[in-house]
Amino acid sequence: MFYAIISQDREDSLTARLQARPDHLSRLEQLRDQGRLLLAGPHPSIDSEDPGPAGFSGSLVVAEFASLEAAQSWAEDDPYIHAGVYQQVTVKPFKRVLP
């Protein structure tokens, strides 16, 4: 089943986010290579493809996991968690309808 991992950044997290980004992307690439990643990306803090110093307000990952517990465990081990980027993470079942 797919699960949505919806993360909210803490204030002034851009520096920590940029430092942890390579490790964060590596984990996402593993999901992609396993055919389990539906989509992933950040939420810019402003209405811009490149928010610059405004940074990001959070992230969304939709991926396939064996269970809600497995998705939560994966989310809890995110490098952004360890770096203090995220202040809150919500994991919810996701039912893909379209496309």
Side-chain angles (χ1 to χ4, degrees), residues 1-78:
M1 178 168 197
F2 285 109
Y3 294 88
I5 301 169
I6 307 153
S7 305
Q8 181 70 36
D9 282 22
R10 67 172 170 76
E11 292 291 323
D12 300 317
S13 63
L14 184 58
T15 299
R17 178 183 266 275
L18 293 174
Q19 290 173 346
R21 188 171 190 264
D23 292 336
H24 173 78
L25 289 178
S26 177
R27 291 180 83 233
L28 292 171
E29 290 165 350
Q30 289 174 11
L31 286 177
R32 179 201 61 206
D33 294 348
Q34 295 166 2
R36 297 171 44 206
L37 183 64
L38 184 61
L39 65 90
H43 300 287
S45 290
I46 60 174
D47 189 13
S48 173
E49 189 76 20
D50 179 3
F56 300 91
S57 63
S59 301
L60 171 65
V61 174
V62 180
E64 187 175 25
F65 292 92
S67 66
L68 177 60
E69 292 78 18
Q72 289 170 327
S73 178
W74 186 90
E76 290 168 3
D77 198 31
D78 193 298

